[in-house]
């Protein structure tokens, strides 16, 4: 049976009906059902199968949530990091920085805060019969902020840049199966892949894939060109970025007029949480990220709400698979057994986190993700025995590499300090070595007896996360873990359309990572932000910030 | 009046030496100021010595979920942002706070005294060059100088001592040079020169003992400054790397929870302040005693 292509539309309709039946039987969730339908270009049909009340929920949350928005006003927002200078969206390596781009540029598709795929600059997509060519139809009548009309040339320009090895874009790693992009006509493009990947369309929302115009001369700082809802009025690096609304943005608000609702948005540098809190206290900051451990303190703010959202974001302990002592699986297992996952969730997030068993696919946050299994229980005795068996009866001295607290707001530092106390009784003696240049050496070999700590944001799909960081050729495979069985299984998972089969494959993949990969993943955290009560905004589970549909009551 | 140590037979003059300023330590008990200062410092020294035996928790032990808790029966000074016992971390942290500042100032006194002695005694171009170099160092704002040194050589206990010593040396050398300029023209130095004593002998046997009192009192005050500086370095994230219980870092981390648990920032700050005050009180007391004995 054909899986893809116009001739296979009927077969896909059958599959969507079958998926809908599974949904009505509670075998898959509503989100999984809608996401499956969107991968085969059948979202409209899927929504039509839902009962009327659920159809409303399936619409973009940004439209359903706020029925009577008010226009005008200014919002001061802090992203929790410096408003740093950057010159190329293709080279972004941090979701927080990508949030500047998001206000100026659009993507071909977007994931809304419910993690449902929505069309954006692409209006529809369809795979070919062999599943290796994706035809994407583009929106007409869209203008860039420098006056140029948006068309297929811009999409080809953008993705050729992303695929060009000279640009070292993380996108090329996540979508390592994409071989090229071609213009069909002014509003149609083809993407070519070397293997069948059902989740391909989601990679168009990876944060590097902001659509730039084909006449873009380079340097985003001086040429911030895009089709997005805002333009930059002023960017003073490490102080603030002020955005002002575009009058001719293509997307309509709930009131039938062009978005955005706000006149001005200012992202202010407040990397220091104490300063951020003071600014909120005195009323000069509407919103900003907040530490969950300071929840009770934020609840004292009279004009702000404390909003949380479950995410698939995670802390990771990196053990280089090709270096001592991690070449010995007993040492890796000993380290994993030394961490109390409940203590991790309770101490770093006051319980606002899901305990994890050393794999990156958070339950409920990715379609088909395996339900939460009971994670490894802390067992110091067994850990010490494994270390002794590996030739370290007196324990091990490790240097812990991670980004210094000044650069990431202390995300990695808190986890590293927590691990010192957790690992000590098992015999792992950690010396912390925070380093401002961590991201320049992160993927290299570190030499023997090094352990690393970093921080990952949730990705759009399980496939994207696994291809980036666990596939042996993944460009962000930080642990250097390599497992031929895993690679084969991941390729099979990518090309499979049957949801039940995919569910089983994903469980096998996560089990392989949990059992064998040289990574420690103790939990999936909730993100939190303090948001002024008069600001209508909903946190996105992937830490994406889009102010296009935010509004403020006077 | 004292006699010279040795007088050549053909040298009839009796040389008048200035009375050496000696501190009689037993008389410290007569100065309430010095006594209070000494008691505060002694308290922290004792804490540093017996601390590891009396603390209820390890410095890295965290109680799951007990984050930013105020003082309670279980944690008498409360907990920090990782559920670690503040009392235990404060007491263990005392070890570095009673060793690093004296080490840093000791090193600075060694360097500053050597430079000041030579520059003051030899004078001329040597004095000009060395003291202008010291002026250059003093021209830097102290915190900026710490930042430059620590960023260049990295944060560790040894490097913190080196940074504080380098920043403290110029002021000590200037003080010693001033003392030497006064002492080198005295008769007992002239006599030693006429006796044919070596420069080293004159510097270390004749001049230095007579300058020791002011250097000692100044050094004590500087130990207080050094404690404050090491606290400031920790506060700026340039002190001892985590998870060392660095008082400055503890105060800095607790700053974000200042509304929730003000005591978490207060106790490490008070601890730093107490050592600074202790050093200053002791130095003031000693100065008073020295004056009363002159």
């Amino acid at each position: 049976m054909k899986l893809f292509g116009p001739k296979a539309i009927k077969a896909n309709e059958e599959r969507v009906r079958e998926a809908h039946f599974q949904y009505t039987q509670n075998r898959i969730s509503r989100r999984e059902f809608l996401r499956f339908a969107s991968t085969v270009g059948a979202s409209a049909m899927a929504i039509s199968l839902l009962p009327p009340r659920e159809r409303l929920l399936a619409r973009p949350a940004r439209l359903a949530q706020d029925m009577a928005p008010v226009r005008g006003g200014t919002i001061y927002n802090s992203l929790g990091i410096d408003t740093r200078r950057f010159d190329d969206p293709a080279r972004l390596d941090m979701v927080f920085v990508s949030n500047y781009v998001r206000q100026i540029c659009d993507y071909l598709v977007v994931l809304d805060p419910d993690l449902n795929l929505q069309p954006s600059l692409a209006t529809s997509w369809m795979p070919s019969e062999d599943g290796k060519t994706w035809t994407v139809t583009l929106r007409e009548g869209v203008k860039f902020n420098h006056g140029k009309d948006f068309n297929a040339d811009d999409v080809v320009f953008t993705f050729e840049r992303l695929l060009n090895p000279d640009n070292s874009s993380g996108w090329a790693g996540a979508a390592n199966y994409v071989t090229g992009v071609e213009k069909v006509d002014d509003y149609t493009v083809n993407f070519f892949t070397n293997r069948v990947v059902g989740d391909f369309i989601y990679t168009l929302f990876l944060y590097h894939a902001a659509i730039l115009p084909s006449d873009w001369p380079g340097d985003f700082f001086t040429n911030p060109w895009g089709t997005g809802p805002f333009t930059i009025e002023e960017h003073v690096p490490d102080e603030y970025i002020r955005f002002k609304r575009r009058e001719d943005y293509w997307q309509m608000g709930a009131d039938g007029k062009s978005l955005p609702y706000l006149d001005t948005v200012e992202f202010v540098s407040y990397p220091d949480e104490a300063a951020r809190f003071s600014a909120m206290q005195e009323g000069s900051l509407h919103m900003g990220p907040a530490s969950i451990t300071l929840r009770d303190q934020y609840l004292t703010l009279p004009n702000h709400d404390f909003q949380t959202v479950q995410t698939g974001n995670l802390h990771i302990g990196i053990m280089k698979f090709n270096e001592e002592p991690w070449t010995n699986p007993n040492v890796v297992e000993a380290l994993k057994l030394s961490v109390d996952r409940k203590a991790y969730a309770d101490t770093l997030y006051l319980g606002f986190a899901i305990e994890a068993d050393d794999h990156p696919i958070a339950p409920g946050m990715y379609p088909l993700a395996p339900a939460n299994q009971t994670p490894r229980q802390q067992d110091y005795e067994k850990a010490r025995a494994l270390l002794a068996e590996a030739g370290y009866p007196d324990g091990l001295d490790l240097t812990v590499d991670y980004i210094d607290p000044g650069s990431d707001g202390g995300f990695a530092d808190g986890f590293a300090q927590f691990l010192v106390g957790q690992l000590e009784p098992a015999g792992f003696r950690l010396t912390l070595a925070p380093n401002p240049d961590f991201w320049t050496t992160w993927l290299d070999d570190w030499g023997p007896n090094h352990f690393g700590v970093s921080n990952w944001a949730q990705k759009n799909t399980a496939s994207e996360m696994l291809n980036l960081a666990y596939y042996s050729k993944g460009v962000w495979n930080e642990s250097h873990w390599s497992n031929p069985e895993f690679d084969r299984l991941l390729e099979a998972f990518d090309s499979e359309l049957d949801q039940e089969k995919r569910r089983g494959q994903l469980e096998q993949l996560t089990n392989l990572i949990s059992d064998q990969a040289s990574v420690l993943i103790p939990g999936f955290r909730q993100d939190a932000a303090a948001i002024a009560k008069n600001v209508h905004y909903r946190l996105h589970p992937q830490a994406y910030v889009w102010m296009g549909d935010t509004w403020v009551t006077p | 009046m004292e006699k010279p140590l040795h007088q050549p037979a053909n040298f009839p003059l009796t040389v008048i030496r200035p009375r050496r300023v000696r501190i009689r330590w037993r008389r410290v008990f007569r100065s309430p100021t010095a006594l209070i200062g000494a008691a505060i410092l002694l308290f922290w020294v004792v804490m540093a010595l017996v601390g590891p035996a009396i603390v209820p928790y390890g410095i890295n032990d965290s109680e799951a979920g007990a984050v930013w808790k105020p003082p309670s029966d279980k944690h008498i000074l409360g907990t920090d942002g990782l559920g670690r016992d503040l009392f235990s971390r404060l007491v263990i942290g005392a070890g570095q706070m009673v060793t690093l500042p004296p080490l840093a100032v000791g090193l600075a006194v060694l360097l500053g005294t050597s430079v000041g002695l030579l520059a003051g005694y030899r004078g001329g171009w040597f004095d000009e060059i060395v003291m202008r170099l010291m002026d250059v160092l003093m021209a830097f704002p102290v915190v900026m100088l710490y930042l430059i040194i620590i960023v260049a050589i990295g944060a560790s206990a040894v490097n913190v001592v080196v940074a504080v010593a380098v920043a403290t040396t110029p002021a000590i050398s200037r003080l010693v040079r001033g003392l030497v300029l006064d002492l080198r023209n005295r008769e007992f130095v002239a006599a030693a020169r006429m006796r044919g004593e070596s420069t080293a002998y004159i510097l270390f046997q004749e001049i230095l003992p007579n300058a020791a009192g002011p250097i000692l009192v100044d050094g004590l005050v500087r130990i207080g400054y050094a404690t404050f500086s090491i606290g400031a370095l920790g506060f700026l994230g340039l002190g001892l790397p985590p998870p060392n219980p660095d008082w400055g870092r503890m105060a800095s981390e607790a700053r974000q929870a200042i509304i929730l648990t003000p005591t978490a920032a207060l106790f490490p700050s008070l601890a730093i302040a107490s050592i600074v005050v202790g050093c200053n009180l002791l130095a003031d007391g000693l100065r008073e005693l020295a004056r009363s004995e002159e």
Side-chain angles (χ1 to χ4, degrees):
Chain A
M1 189 199 295
K2 299 284 186 192
L3 298 180
F4 294 105
K7 288 181 191 168
I9 286 176
K10 205 164 179 65
N12 282 341
E13 283 178 2
E14 279 308 308
R15 287 172 186 280
V16 171
R17 281 183 211 288
E18 169 60 22
H20 179 252
F21 176 72
Q22 290 177 2
Y23 165 56
T24 57
Q25 301 295 306
N26 287 329
R27 284 160 60 196
I28 61 175
S29 68
R30 186 175 60 88
R31 185 185 290 163
E32 286 171 355
F33 164 59
L34 288 169
R35 294 190 83 172
F36 166 67
S38 67
T39 59
V40 293
S43 298
M45 176 190 170
I47 290 175
S48 72
L49 289 172
L50 293 171
R53 198 188 68 79
E54 290 192 25
R55 273 181 224 164
L56 181 69
L57 291 173
R59 292 171 63 207
R62 62 179 66 142
L63 297 183
Q65 165 197 1
D66 302 315
M67 300 312 286
V70 177
R71 289 193 168 260
T74 297
I75 280 185
Y76 295 89
N77 187 357
S78 169
L79 303 181
I81 60 162
D82 279 323
T83 52
R84 58 192 65 165
R85 184 190 166 125
F86 66 98
D87 56 12
D88 188 351
R91 295 184 197 218
L92 287 173
D93 56 7
M94 222 183 177
V95 63
F96 304 109
V97 182
S98 80
N99 286 331
Y100 314 151
V101 180
R102 221 169 284 283
Q103 317 309 320
I104 303 157
C105 298
D106 281 314
Y107 292 79
L108 291 180
V109 294
V110 296
L111 274 179
D112 65 24
D114 290 321
L115 299 177
N116 289 320
L117 191 69
Q118 305 290 349
S120 182
L121 290 181
T123 52
S124 64
W125 44 91
M126 177 61 67
S128 66
E129 284 178 45
D130 67 355
K132 292 184 179 174
T133 301
W134 286 79
T135 303
V136 176
T137 308
L138 306 175
R139 190 175 297 278
E140 298 184 30
V142 175
K143 271 192 183 301
F144 283 96
N145 54 22
H146 68 303
K148 182 187 174 305
D149 285 325
F150 163 72
N151 60 34
D153 291 331
D154 308 312
V155 176
V156 171
F157 171 79
T158 300
F159 285 91
E160 281 184 344
R161 287 191 77 250
L162 296 176
L163 287 167
N164 184 344
D166 294 345
N167 289 326
S168 322
S169 175
W171 192 87
N176 54 53
Y177 45 83
V178 176
T179 53
V181 55
E182 166 198 82
K183 175 180 175 180
V184 178
D185 61 40
D186 273 356
Y187 292 100
T188 314
V189 288
N190 280 338
F191 287 91
F192 303 105
T193 64
N194 59 15
R195 58 187 165 98
V196 180
V197 177
D199 284 341
F200 160 75
I201 208 73
Y202 289 90
T203 58
L204 302 180
F205 189 48
L206 257 172
Y207 53 66
H208 317 93
I211 300 299
L212 296 168
S214 56
D215 57 349
W216 187 61
D219 191 0
F220 199 77
F221 182 77
T222 48
N223 304 298
W225 296 354
T227 60
F230 293 96
T231 55
I232 289 187
E233 191 172 74
E234 194 174 11
H235 182 175
V236 181
D238 302 333
E239 288 188 29
Y240 61 85
I241 309 180
R242 191 182 306 121
F243 300 94
K244 66 173 184 198
R245 84 183 294 270
R246 270 183 70 179
E247 299 299 330
D248 56 348
Y249 185 53
W250 60 270
Q251 210 174 148
M252 294 297 134
D255 56 3
K257 296 179 201 159
S258 183
L259 285 176
Y261 300 119
L262 295 166
D263 289 334
T264 318
V265 173
E266 193 165 310
F267 286 175
V268 195
S269 274
Y270 277 115
D272 180 84
E273 185 154 14
R276 211 155 58 226
F277 183 82
S278 298
M280 287 177 187
Q281 261 186 323
E282 66 172 30
S284 59
L285 188 65
H286 287 95
M287 53 198 286
S291 294
I292 285 184
T293 48
L294 297 174
R295 181 172 173 268
D296 288 348
Q297 180 164 299
Y298 280 99
L299 291 177
T300 64
L301 290 173
N303 299 319
H304 286 72
D305 285 326
F306 189 77
Q307 205 182 108
T308 60
V309 63
Q310 179 61 53
T311 73
N313 301 347
L314 53 93
H315 276 127
I316 191 166
I318 309 159
M319 299 165 259
K320 300 282 183 183
F321 187 66
N322 54 326
E323 293 195 289
E324 295 297 332
W326 315 114
T327 49
N328 188 327
N330 281 346
V331 183
V332 174
E333 184 61 24
L335 190 132
K336 292 178 181 177
L337 283 170
S338 307
V339 177
D340 179 351
R341 282 112 214 286
K342 184 166 185 330
Y344 168 84
D346 287 347
T347 305
L348 269 70
Y349 298 104
L350 298 180
F352 288 75
I354 305 171
E355 296 164 39
D357 195 26
D358 303 313
H359 72 72
I361 306 302
M365 302 311 296
Y366 294 99
L368 310 174
N372 207 19
Q373 297 134 338
T374 310
R376 279 175 175 78
Q377 296 300 300
Q378 188 181 50
D379 189 341
Y380 284 136
E381 207 173 305
K382 195 170 169 192
R384 280 190 291 265
L386 283 171
L387 270 186
E389 204 177 302
Y392 302 102
D394 301 323
L396 250 171
D397 291 302
L398 297 173
T399 302
V400 186
D401 305 276
Y402 62 98
I403 190 77
D404 76 310
S407 305
D408 77 339
F411 259 132
D413 186 62
F415 180 48
Q417 291 204 51
F418 169 77
L419 287 180
V420 173
Q422 288 280 302
L423 299 184
E424 209 170 27
F428 293 100
R429 294 174 294 273
L430 307 189
T431 303
L432 304 190
N435 174 10
D437 298 322
F438 175 77
W439 293 119
T440 59
T441 57
W442 157 61
L443 294 167
D444 302 344
D445 284 345
W446 289 339
N449 296 339
H450 277 259
F451 174 69
V453 161
S454 84
N455 182 40
W456 277 77
Q458 178 180 345
K459 298 295 162 198
N460 298 331
T461 62
S463 166
E464 191 178 308
M465 172 63 98
L466 301 180
N467 272 291
L468 255 181
Y470 299 88
Y471 192 55
S472 58
K473 294 178 212 152
V475 287
W476 287 353
N477 183 343
E478 55 195 342
S479 72
H480 301 172
W481 184 59
S482 169
N483 184 312
E485 187 191 349
F486 178 89
D487 288 358
R488 271 195 304 275
L489 198 55
L490 179 58
E491 286 169 16
F493 170 75
D494 280 341
S495 60
E496 182 59 61
L497 268 191
D498 185 289
Q499 295 300 286
E500 280 307 306
K501 275 192 190 161
R502 292 192 96 209
R503 186 190 299 284
Q505 287 168 330
L506 188 54
E507 189 163 357
Q508 284 181 55
L509 287 164
T510 53
N511 285 344
L512 271 175
I513 295 176
S514 176
D515 294 344
Q516 297 183 27
S518 48
V519 294
L520 166 79
I521 300 173
F524 304 106
R525 63 171 175 268
Q526 292 193 18
D527 270 359
I531 299 174
K533 289 182 195 298
N534 62 339
V535 170
H536 297 254
Y537 182 83
R538 211 175 132 203
L539 283 181
H540 196 290
Q542 290 169 294
Y544 296 150
V545 175
W546 192 70
M547 306 299 289
D549 60 354
T550 304
W551 55 279
V552 56
T553 37
Chain B
M1 189 191 294
E2 288 179 23
K3 288 187 174 176
L5 287 175
H6 49 86
Q7 190 176 345
N10 58 350
F11 193 75
L13 290 172
T14 301
V15 177
I16 301 170
R17 278 168 166 265
R19 192 185 159 88
R20 288 185 184 180
V21 180
R22 282 199 184 130
I23 294 161
R24 300 203 171 126
W25 290 98
R26 264 185 290 174
R27 296 191 63 177
V28 165
F29 293 102
R30 290 189 197 165
S31 161
T33 315
L35 198 61
I36 294 170
I40 293 172
L41 296 181
L42 192 65
F43 168 79
W44 283 117
V45 171
V46 170
M47 277 293 170
L49 290 173
V50 304
I54 62 163
V55 291
Y57 303 93
I59 54 167
N60 297 315
D61 295 349
S62 60
E63 185 185 337
V67 174
W68 295 128
K69 292 292 177 201
S72 64
D73 291 348
K74 205 169 175 186
H75 302 282
I76 56 171
L77 297 185
T79 61
D80 70 2
L82 286 171
R84 298 176 296 198
D85 184 60
L86 269 180
F87 173 72
S88 304
R89 290 180 65 77
L90 205 64
V91 168
I92 300 295
Q96 68 193 42
M97 281 312 225
V98 299
T99 49
L100 298 189
L103 276 176
V105 173
L107 184 60
V109 166
L110 199 69
L111 293 170
T113 305
S114 310
V115 169
L117 275 175
L118 278 173
Y121 185 70
R122 291 192 60 169
W125 62 267
F126 181 81
D127 180 35
E128 278 298 317
I129 290 174
V130 170
M131 291 322 289
R132 290 301 80 75
L133 279 175
M134 293 294 125
D135 286 347
V136 169
L137 277 179
M138 285 182 85
F140 280 95
V142 179
V143 174
M144 187 61 78
L145 197 57
Y146 292 149
L147 283 174
I148 293 169
I149 296 170
I150 294 289
V151 168
I153 62 179
S156 70
V158 174
N159 293 352
V160 165
V161 166
V162 169
V164 174
V166 169
T168 311
T169 296
I172 295 176
S173 68
R174 184 172 279 235
L175 167 79
V176 174
R177 176 179 171 272
L179 292 168
V180 173
L181 286 180
D182 173 38
L183 292 170
R184 74 173 181 180
N185 296 324
R186 301 285 185 92
E187 290 90 342
F188 70 95
V189 176
R193 261 195 229 113
M194 289 179 73
R195 288 198 308 270
E197 303 289 2
S198 68
T199 304
Y201 178 89
I202 295 170
L203 284 177
F204 294 107
Q205 292 293 325
E206 299 287 349
I207 295 179
L208 184 59
N210 290 293
I215 295 175
L216 180 74
V217 172
D218 181 68
L220 256 177
V221 175
R222 290 194 185 282
I223 289 177
Y225 292 159
T227 307
F228 189 77
S229 301
I230 290 173
L233 281 173
F235 191 88
L236 294 171
L238 297 169
L240 301 192
N244 277 300
D246 181 311
W247 291 354
R249 183 186 292 273
M250 286 162 71
S252 171
E253 287 173 351
R255 207 166 37 98
Q256 53 176 290
I258 199 82
I259 306 289
L260 187 63
T261 319
T263 46
L266 183 67
F267 290 127
S269 308
L270 277 180
I272 293 171
S274 70
I275 292 191
V276 178
V277 169
C279 286
N280 282 352
L281 288 178
L282 183 57
D284 281 352
L286 292 181
R287 202 178 289 128
E288 282 166 20
L289 284 174
R291 274 199 206 112
S292 69
E293 286 186 13
E294 269 182 352

